[in-house]
Amino acid sequence: MRTTPGRASGRAPGRPGRRGRRGPDRGPGRGLQPNALGTFDTIVMAVAGSAPAYSLAATTAVLFGAVGLAGPASLLYCAIPMLGIVLAYARLGRIDVNAGAAYSWVGRTLHPFLGFLSGWALVFATTVFMVAGSLPAGSLTLSLVDPELADSTALSLVVGAGWFLIMLLVVLGGARLTVRAQLVMSGVEMLILVAFVLGAVIHRGHATAFDWSWFGLGHFDGASGFASGALIAAFYYWGWDVTSNLSEETRDSRRTAGLAALVGMGVVFLLFEAFTVSVNVLLSAEQIEHGGANVLAVLGQEIWPGVGGKLLLLAVLLSTVATLETTLIQVTRSLFAMGRDRTLPPALGTVHRRWNTPWVAVAAVGAAALVMFAAAAAAGSIGQVLGDAVSAMGLQVAFYYALAGIAAVVAYRGRLLTSVKEFVLGGVWPLFGSAFMLWAFVESLGELSTASLAIGLGGLAAGVVPMLLYWRKGSAYYRPARLDATRALAATAPFASPDSPRARRSDKSLATDF
């Protein structure tokens, strides 16, 4: 039997869809909760997804070890192509609202196999992050109580698993509960980070004089060194795309998800650059290396002796817990979309009738993460686990971001020559972002450790098994209705026009859930 467009775009089997602003009609108790988030809520989720304080704490020492003083340059030169990927996501989200995001878009434009592997890469990377994020959460909590306790990997594992389970319950409670928790955690985190940026500006002492060459190419050790820095920088930014995974639960998501991702990307870019420059100026190479995952605490003590380290530890803890939540959102919504399309066990597409959350996917992720916690306990120190995991996740992120950028160009190919704006923002920039991600992926292979390569490439290869299994079972996902922007925008124009009376009456997207 040939597939219908509704099923190919991710609608629940057996339920016909209505073309319109809200997307498919999934029926009560069968779909995610629509219109739960507004623009401000979604921006908060985008910033929290990139986890400013956590990314700085977990990755600054890794970045410095890879490129030295060229950390600001790595972040700058990775941000330019990353914006191309953000534009690609924004444009694809206008024509296909789907909780699977790149999984759906790549499958409907390039090939279903590539689409599945895009979704699998996100699922695998986010599941690995459950360990990479929960271990520091446990260690930071112990540091606030007694710094000596933080050196125990086993104890950090137990406390981190406790934080993970709390966030699992919050995500299970629905999108509204999730964003309320984010507003509190991310709000406090941002206040602390901005205060320390100002403190770094007025700080008088320094270990190294500021140099504009830190933003140039001279400090990189050739092309491979540049690629290693870019891959680590991609991990810094990773997470803003949670707005696309929340699209089915967002008001006016065809506009809101892309706008929130752009704003969130801009905010975290400024914070990353400010703190990386501050670390270069205020800390010596020995302090950075010795600080490791606690480098922000060392920076805090340098800026505000006594209380500074504790405050930044609190910011990192809040950021870590907040990004655990957004990562759980990403992986569970992706698994929900894959279960709904029957490219993974259909039970994953089951939605709780009261909370409108994919509770089977939430439970599956929780079980898998707890098994990985046990494996991480035997893998070595927290620093070793973090270093290998960051590089491995960078490979996964570069892979599915690159495919999404290409998918946007293919989907909009019929509109690229209609104007200079379309050609640059819809073609050149996303394609440049994809090329950069693919180059960083290939170039860094020779620089990564065996453990990082095993996690990164082995994780991708593992996705081939379920892909072929459910392809042979005849999932409609593998017979997609091709995604074409010209047709899709023409079909949604009557509903998306901002000048229509209906749009003006319903434009409340800046309201929060409060």
Side-chain angles (χ1 to χ4, degrees):
M1 181 178 68
R2 296 185 64 83
T3 180
T4 63
R7 292 187 66 178
S9 61
R11 296 187 175 96
R15 289 187 177 270
R18 295 181 300 176
R19 290 191 180 274
R21 189 173 179 181
R22 289 191 178 184
D25 180 14
R26 303 185 195 282
R30 295 297 300 273
L32 302 171
Q33 184 177 3
N35 303 319
L37 307 179
T39 302
F40 181 75
D41 304 323
T42 316
I43 290 173
V44 170
M45 297 299 286
V47 174
S50 292
Y54 167 78
S55 296
L56 287 163
T59 320
T60 296
V62 178
L63 182 63
F64 187 87
V67 299
L69 295 174
S74 291
L75 291 167
L76 172 62
Y77 296 127
C78 185
I80 296 171
M82 185 65 77
L83 276 174
I85 306 301
V86 176
L87 288 171
Y89 266 71
R91 292 167 68 83
L92 288 166
R94 288 174 58 195
I95 58 177
D96 183 18
V97 177
N98 193 295
Y103 155 79
S104 173
W105 304 330
V106 174
R108 295 183 62 191
T109 54
L110 303 183
H111 194 279
F113 284 0
L114 293 177
F116 179 88
L117 289 178
S118 293
W120 181 265
L122 186 149
V123 167
F124 190 89
T126 48
T127 305
V128 171
F129 180 79
M130 296 302 125
V131 177
S134 297
L135 280 173
S139 177
L140 289 164
T141 304
L142 294 171
S143 293
L144 291 172
V145 178
D146 184 351
E148 293 185 1
L149 295 176
D151 294 331
S152 171
T153 301
L155 195 55
S156 297
L157 179 71
V158 172
V159 177
W163 277 117
F164 170 77
L165 291 174
I166 291 172
M167 289 300 101
L168 200 72
L169 292 175
V170 171
V171 170
L172 185 63
R176 292 186 184 276
L177 178 60
T178 298
V179 79
R180 285 170 179 165
Q182 280 295 348
L183 286 168
V184 175
M185 292 186 292
S186 297
V188 175
E189 174 199 355
M190 294 299 291
L191 288 174
I192 295 174
L193 291 180
V194 171
F196 272 90
V197 169
L198 297 176
V201 170
I202 64 176
H203 189 75
R204 293 185 178 181
H206 58 78
T208 307
F210 173 79
D211 194 331
W212 284 105
S213 69
W214 296 344
F215 294 92
L217 300 173
H219 289 282
F220 291 107
D221 184 19
S224 60
F226 182 84
S228 297
L231 201 64
I232 296 169
F235 175 77
Y236 271 84
Y237 295 119
W238 176 47
W240 53 263
D241 49 315
V242 67
T243 60
S244 297
N245 297 108
L246 284 166
S247 61
E248 294 184 28
E249 300 157 88
T250 304
R251 289 192 293 274
D252 192 18
S253 64
R254 295 183 189 277
R255 178 189 67 89
T256 302
L259 172 64
L262 284 168
V263 174
M265 176 71 181
V267 170
V268 298
F269 168 74
L270 293 175
L271 284 173
F272 289 154
E273 287 288 15
F275 270 90
T276 305
V277 170
S278 298
V279 167
N280 279 2
V281 170
L282 300 179
L283 302 183
S284 65
E286 291 76 17
Q287 286 177 296
I288 297 171
E289 182 179 357
H290 184 264
N294 291 320
V295 68
L296 280 197
V298 178
L299 179 65
Q301 289 288 5
E302 184 69 28
I303 296 174
W304 287 338
V307 70
K310 292 288 185 181
L311 279 175
L312 274 183
L313 278 178
L314 176 61
V316 176
L317 175 59
L318 290 171
S319 179
T320 306
V321 175
T323 198
L324 277 177
E325 186 184 73
T326 58
T327 306
L328 279 166
I329 287 284
Q330 280 196 285
V331 66
T332 55
R333 268 50 177 184
S334 297
L335 287 173
F336 163 76
M338 298 169 92
R340 183 175 61 188
D341 290 344
R342 300 178 183 274
T343 56
L344 284 179
L348 294 171
T350 305
V351 174
H352 195 280
R353 291 189 176 276
R354 179 180 176 184
W355 299 319
N356 291 102
T357 52
W359 70 272
V360 176
V362 172
V365 170
L370 290 175
V371 171
M372 294 181 70
F373 287 152
S381 68
I382 291 176
Q384 179 184 343
V385 172
L386 277 177
D388 292 336
V390 165
S391 297
M393 284 184 284
L395 284 175
Q396 306 275 356
V397 172
F399 175 79
Y400 80 82
Y401 275 175
L403 290 179
I406 297 171
V409 176
V410 173
Y412 279 83
R413 62 190 180 278
R415 298 172 57 90
L416 295 181
L417 299 181
T418 58
S419 69
V420 175
K421 177 182 176 181
E422 281 286 335
F423 181 72
V424 174
L425 299 183
V428 174
W429 209 339
L431 199 59
F432 169 64
S434 295
F436 184 87
M437 293 296 166
L438 289 175
W439 174 80
F441 180 98
V442 174
E443 190 69 25
S444 63
L445 292 178
E447 301 293 317
L448 297 180
S449 67
T450 302
S452 293
L453 289 174
I455 297 171
L457 299 181
L460 273 178
V464 175
V465 176
M467 179 184 74
L468 294 178
L469 175 63
Y470 284 91
W471 169 65
R472 288 181 61 85
K473 287 186 176 183
S475 167
Y477 172 83
Y478 294 105
R479 301 185 301 276
R482 292 298 173 186
L483 192 59
D484 181 85
T486 302
R487 291 198 304 268
L489 291 175
T492 60
F495 300 92
S497 174
D499 297 324
S500 67
R502 177 180 176 181
R504 287 197 297 268
R505 286 195 304 270
S506 61
D507 188 15
K508 300 177 182 178
S509 58
L510 284 175
T512 70
D513 295 314
F514 293 108

